[in-house]
Amino acid sequence: MTPTHQPRARVLVSAGSIGLAVLLAGCGSSDPEPEEQEVPSNTIPQPEVEADDTVRLPLAMVSPDGQAQAAPLSGEGTLEDEQAPGSPVEETPDGEQAQEIEIARTAAFGCDDTVSVIRSVPTVTEDPAVAALEFLIDDELFSHGSPAFSNPLAASEELSVVSVEVEQDMVRVALSGEPVTTGECESWQILTQIETTARVATGATDSEVTVDGQPLAELLGLPADREPLRINEIER
């Protein structure tokens, strides 16, 4: 497979993370227990820290054409086919690139696209959400794998991550600079890349993205008042 190069230097970043708590409870007639609290269906756990303090960053990239047919999801978010395209983000000891299979996929959005979440090589950082977003912005490749996951966000080299903050179920991403887009379809793609990456990296159910204080959706001419896009965690 032959990746498409962007004329930029790659920035390698790293990560560490916190787990998402899930509350489960029951009801008893004599000894009352805490009531069961339903976990929103569009949350997935944050990336786990390995024994060596490394973590694989969740990277949201636009799914390859035909991904839904090649690796279809069931209604429960499971892969109906055990094989799915992956991303060559890891090198084996002999220097060959190994594929990482997607770990989650969004519902369709924009121009009938979906975004797949794949994983980076094990890295170390104090803030996985910031690290993952910086990875996508600083990525020197526009496409990864075969069939290719694409990274339209890589063209926005003037963007920088100011902060990623989580308040209850909301993750707020503050950026500065200027997003680069070729049209409405790509605008939807880069907005969804950012939102999905931030949500998966933090375990949040909703997101808010601003650029220099202005909502990114508004800046791109997209509807700002939208329901959070469903993210299906892929189980095998």
Side-chain angles (χ1 to χ4, degrees), residues 43-96:
T43 64
I44 67 176
Q46 294 169 274
E48 296 181 357
V49 178
E50 303 294 340
D52 58 357
D53 294 329
T54 63
V55 65
R56 295 179 183 272
L57 303 178
L59 307 173
M61 297 189 184
V62 180
S63 306
D65 290 339
Q67 175 78 331
Q69 289 74 39
L73 292 175
S74 70
E76 290 74 36
T78 59
L79 274 181
E80 295 179 349
D81 186 341
E82 289 297 316
Q83 301 299 319
S87 175
V89 293
E90 181 175 11
E91 288 192 356
T92 60
D94 58 2
E96 294 295 324

Side-chain angles (χ1 to χ4, degrees), residues 8 11 129-138 153-164 172-180 194 209-213 216:
R8 321 221 314 276
V11 176
V130 170
L133 289 170
E134 289 179 338
F135 184 103
L136 291 171
I137 293 171
D138 296 325
L153 190 55
S156 299
E157 58 186 19
E158 298 302 320
L159 277 183
S160 61
V161 182
V162 177
S163 64
V164 178
R172 292 184 168 85
V173 179
L175 307 172
S176 65
E178 183 176 355
V180 175
I194 295 170
V209 184
T210 59
V211 177
D212 296 323
L216 177 57

Side-chain angles (χ1 to χ4, degrees), residues 92-136:
T92 60
D94 58 2
E96 294 295 324
Q97 290 181 319
Q99 289 193 336
E100 286 296 332
I101 296 176
E102 64 177 338
I103 60 172
R105 192 189 309 163
T106 69
F109 64 90
C111 301
D112 203 27
D113 291 312
T114 62
V115 154
S116 297
V117 181
I118 57 177
R119 302 182 302 169
S120 74
V121 294
T123 51
V124 179
T125 184
E126 295 181 355
D127 196 329
V130 170
L133 289 170
E134 289 179 338
F135 184 103
L136 291 171

